Amino acid sequence: MSASDADRRPAENSEDEKKTKLGSFKKAISNSFNKGLRNSKVMSFPMDDIDAEELKQAEEFRQVLIAEDLLPSRHDNIHMMLRFLRARKFDPEKTKQMWSDMIQWRKEFGADTIMEDFEFKEIDDVLKYYPQGHHGVDKDGRPVYIEKLGQVDSNKLLQVTKMERYVKYHVREFERTFVHKFPACSIAAKKHIDQSTTILDVQGVGFTSLNKSARELIQCLQKVDGDNYPETLNRMFIINAGSGFRLLWNTVKSFLDPKTTAKINVLGSSYQSKLLEIIEASELPEFLGGSCKCPDKGGCMLSDKGPWNDPEIMKMVHSYAEEREAEAKSSSKTTSGNMDSSNKESNKEAGEKESGKMEPGKTELAKNEDSSKTESDKNESGKKESGKMEEKVSEEEKTISEHVMAHPYPHPHPDRSDSVCSDAFLEANDIQIDHLSPVPEELSTSMGSEKEEKLRAALTALEQQLTATKQAEVEKELKLKAALDRVNALEKELTETKKTLDETRIKQEELLATVGKEKKFSIFCW
């Protein structure tokens, strides 16, 4: 064996050992999140794409939520927690506040039952005036969401529905995406999917395209998305972007995090090849450069094409949902059973006190001693359980910490964040308008008073400049029209003058001819 081989082998062993320990840690964390569903293979996917440090922080965050009673069983999901953590750059306090606000909002809005409770009868009319919908998946298995923003008729839209109802529809569709579409895409792709690819067609969109009501609606949708469904946008393509839109986008993107702007591709009319790099032609509508037409569904925008329409896949999705529901009910029953038991004991004790049926020799002191003994037993039992858990966790932490000390592992970048949607269009077009693809976080959260002021000042200056330009163009058009009218009037005058001159010339010629004849006659007479 050569010296180089001898040196290489320990390094290889060290790398293998590192991978093994990290894999064990990921498995331990994953198991803690999936307890109660360990026999389910429906939605079990590897977490190789998740950083071990992020998993550790997610588990710590989970324990905080459990301790503060902020973790309903339906939201006990590692991927959901990671999305909120990433939205707040892994700041525990900010993430907890965001999570707490989300839980409260869901209770007040009724998001947990909105799929069953809310019916949107005006959907056909709404889609006429706001063309939108999912169509297929990209090459990574994520659902593709399309909006024809340039064809939005905001006046007619708000005539066929009300803002409050549209917001409810928006939330219902987001819930349906998480309950049905993302799980179906995950099964089809054999990996976890909880983000989408968005295409916004802004052809025909100008600075005056959206009235005040439409802007308010889009801002409301973006707030809902940014606050309650963060980190669900993977990438966005803004196509058919004109010079006005590009000018606005170039101003706004300077205020955004580079990781946010990296998700957004602003393209002109030559966008087809770029889309086909990300989406197969068979999954892309023909009007966007693909080969799909969906003639049997009334066109691609109405087809809702995707794995969520596959009966076999949806059986698996429903099976998983039933297991989760059963787990939630079981957890609820256990909690209520403990409360009932506690209430019965307290009622029994109160009844015995009232009726005087306490044992004769049992003094108040004896009762207190018995009560103390019971509490002591309970505490002792609890301590043993807690001790076992702490011992298990400490062993895992010890293993990881030893490994990290020996083999430093890169931590995630502290500035991890993103988001974008409709308001990107309003504030550069928060571009998310994708009511199913929330907007980058920086577009839906405060950027700081100084940055906001600068952005507002820049946008105000742009609006004033564009307004002035528009007024100047109108004035030019009016002047040009007046000049043309003057030219036409002059042409008419010249035509009439020419006609008069021609008539005068003819009369002069006739007069000259008459004078000539008279002269000849006079000479003849002489």
Side-chain angles (χ1 to χ4, degrees):
M1 184 189 299
S2 66
S4 60
D5 290 338
D7 292 339
R8 194 183 303 119
R9 181 161 295 180
E12 290 175 353
N13 291 339
S14 174
E15 189 63 28
D16 291 342
E17 185 182 351
K18 174 182 176 181
K19 289 180 180 178
T20 302
K21 287 186 177 181
L22 288 175
S24 300
F25 179 68
K26 285 186 178 183
K27 188 174 180 181
I29 296 293
S30 177
N31 287 341
S32 73
F33 275 97
N34 293 319
K35 66 174 185 177
L37 286 179
R38 289 180 183 176
N39 295 325
S40 173
K41 295 182 179 178
V42 179
M43 298 294 287
S44 177
F45 302 109
M47 290 194 263
D48 296 336
D49 59 332
I50 302 177
D51 184 88
E53 178 64 23
E54 290 185 355
L55 277 173
K56 184 174 181 291
Q57 292 185 58
E59 173 60 17
E60 290 171 354
F61 180 59
R62 178 174 180 265
Q63 295 304 322
V64 170
L65 296 179
I66 291 172
E68 300 194 21
D69 196 22
L70 289 172
L71 189 61
S73 58
R74 67 182 294 150
H75 300 316
D76 191 359
N77 182 299
I78 184 173
H79 299 284
M80 182 175 180
M81 293 177 204
L82 281 169
R83 285 193 296 104
F84 276 77
L85 283 163
R86 287 166 181 157
R88 290 295 177 263
K89 300 183 180 182
F90 286 85
D91 184 306
E93 286 304 314
K94 290 182 180 178
T95 307
K96 187 179 74 172
Q97 185 61 52
M98 185 184 188
W99 183 279
S100 176
D101 292 343
M102 176 271 296
I103 295 295
Q104 184 62 31
W105 171 82
R106 293 185 70 87
K107 289 178 182 176
E108 294 172 356
F109 196 88
D112 289 343
T113 58
I114 198 167
M115 289 175 62
E116 297 80 24
D117 298 343
F118 180 69
E119 186 177 0
F120 197 59
K121 295 180 180 178
E122 60 266 39
I123 180 63
D124 292 337
D125 288 331
V126 165
L127 293 179
K128 285 180 189 175
Y129 306 125
Y130 192 166
Q132 57 180 278
H134 278 114
H135 184 279
V137 296
D138 64 18
K139 291 181 180 180
D140 291 321
R142 300 182 187 91
V144 176
Y145 176 79
I146 303 169
E147 280 193 7
K148 291 186 174 182
L149 194 59
Q151 295 181 19
V152 173
D153 189 331
S154 54
N155 291 321
K156 290 184 179 179
L157 173 66
L158 294 175
Q159 287 174 7
V160 299
T161 191
K162 293 181 180 179
M163 188 180 297
E164 296 79 8
R165 285 185 59 76
Y166 189 87
V167 172
K168 284 189 175 182
Y169 160 70
H170 174 94
V171 172
R172 190 192 72 175
E173 289 304 294
F174 233 129
E175 290 296 309
R176 193 161 76 93
T177 298
F178 272 97
V179 173
H180 293 157
K181 295 185 177 181
F182 282 153
C185 290
S186 298
I187 292 170
K190 295 182 174 61
K191 62 181 180 181
H192 182 78
I193 300 288
D194 62 359
Q195 290 184 320
S196 59
T197 292
T198 296
I199 301 173
L200 291 186
D201 187 348
V202 296
Q203 186 171 25
V205 173
F207 291 95
T208 58
S209 297
L210 300 176
N211 59 26
K212 182 181 177 183
S213 297
R215 290 197 297 271
E216 287 176 356
L217 173 61
I218 292 172
Q219 287 170 336
C220 179
L221 297 182
Q222 183 179 1
K223 178 166 176 56
V224 169
D225 296 347
D227 292 349
N228 306 291
Y229 305 97
E231 297 293 312
T232 52
L233 178 69
N234 179 259
R235 59 170 70 89
M236 176 176 287
F237 296 96
I238 302 173
I239 62 173
N240 291 316
S243 57
F245 186 93
R246 287 175 179 272
L247 178 65
L248 182 59
W249 171 244
N250 288 335
T251 301
V252 173
K253 74 178 182 180
S254 63
F255 294 92
L256 304 179
D257 189 289
K259 290 187 177 181
T260 297
T261 56
K263 287 186 173 188
I264 307 168
N265 296 273
V266 180
L267 309 172
S269 56
S270 301
Y271 57 81
Q272 293 83 355
S273 59
K274 186 67 176 177
L275 294 183
L276 289 170
E277 289 178 11
I278 307 299
I279 306 165
E280 294 288 356
S282 60
E283 297 289 308
L284 191 65
E286 187 179 46
F287 62 82
L288 292 177
S291 59
C292 188
K293 297 179 181 179
C294 297
D296 56 329
K297 301 289 185 181
C300 292
M301 290 301 291
L302 300 174
S303 69
D304 197 34
K305 174 181 178 178
W308 47 90
N309 291 313
D310 186 318
E312 292 302 316
I313 287 179
M314 290 312 295
K315 277 183 186 177
M316 299 173 73
V317 171
H318 292 316
S319 174
Y320 171 75
E322 286 168 5
E323 288 183 18
R324 295 287 294 181
E325 188 177 349
E327 182 197 3
K329 285 181 179 177
S330 173
S331 174
S332 176
K333 282 180 181 178
T334 303
T335 305
S336 90
N338 290 340
M339 289 179 67
D340 289 344
S341 173
S342 175
N343 288 338
K344 283 179 182 177
E345 286 181 10
S346 61
N347 289 339
K348 183 179 177 183
E349 195 171 315
E352 287 176 346
K353 254 187 188 178
E354 197 174 329
S355 60
K357 290 182 181 177
M358 299 293 289
E359 292 180 18
K362 199 162 192 176
T363 63
E364 205 59 41
L365 180 59
K367 284 190 285 181
N368 290 339
E369 285 176 356
D370 286 348
S371 175
S372 299
K373 187 176 180 182
T374 304
E375 287 298 322
S376 175
D377 290 343
K378 285 183 180 177
N379 291 339
E380 196 64 27
S381 173
K383 283 179 182 178
K384 286 181 181 178
E385 289 288 326
S386 175
K388 287 179 182 177
M389 284 293 291
E390 287 177 2
E391 192 176 338
K392 184 178 178 182
V393 172
S394 64
E395 285 177 3
E396 290 176 359
E397 288 181 347
K398 185 179 178 182
T399 302
I400 289 301
S401 62
E402 287 175 354
H403 167 72
V404 172
M405 290 294 290
H407 311 285
Y409 193 81
H411 285 209
H413 195 281
D415 291 331
R416 182 116 186 225
S417 67
D418 47 311
S419 37
V420 182
C421 159
S422 305
D423 260 6
F425 174 71
L426 293 178
E427 295 188 26
N429 211 304
D430 162 47
I431 306 176
Q432 154 118 359
I433 295 173
D434 171 7
H435 72 254
L436 297 177
S437 306
V439 175
E441 190 67 22
E442 288 74 8
L443 295 177
S444 60
T445 57
S446 175
M447 293 183 287
S449 58
E450 188 177 347
K451 281 189 176 181
E452 285 180 359
E453 287 301 321
K454 287 182 180 178
L455 178 56
R456 284 176 186 161
L459 291 175
T460 302
L462 277 173
E463 287 178 0
Q464 291 173 348
Q465 184 181 349
L466 288 166
T467 302
T469 303
K470 190 175 181 181
Q471 289 175 347
E473 288 177 355
V474 171
E475 289 175 2
K476 282 181 182 178
E477 286 180 3
L478 291 173
K479 288 179 180 178
L480 181 60
K481 186 175 182 299
L484 287 171
D485 291 341
R486 179 62 181 157
V487 168
N488 290 333
L490 287 171
E491 284 182 351
K492 187 177 179 181
E493 289 177 8
L494 286 170
T495 301
E496 290 176 354
T497 303
K498 184 181 178 183
K499 184 179 177 182
T500 303
L501 287 171
D502 288 341
E503 290 174 351
T504 304
R505 181 178 55 80
I506 291 170
K507 286 181 181 181
Q508 285 178 344
E509 288 176 354
E510 289 175 351
L511 183 60
L512 287 172
T514 303
V515 171
K517 284 181 181 180
E518 289 179 352
K519 283 183 178 181
K520 285 181 181 180
F521 182 75
S522 298
I523 293 171
F524 178 74
C525 289
W526 281 99

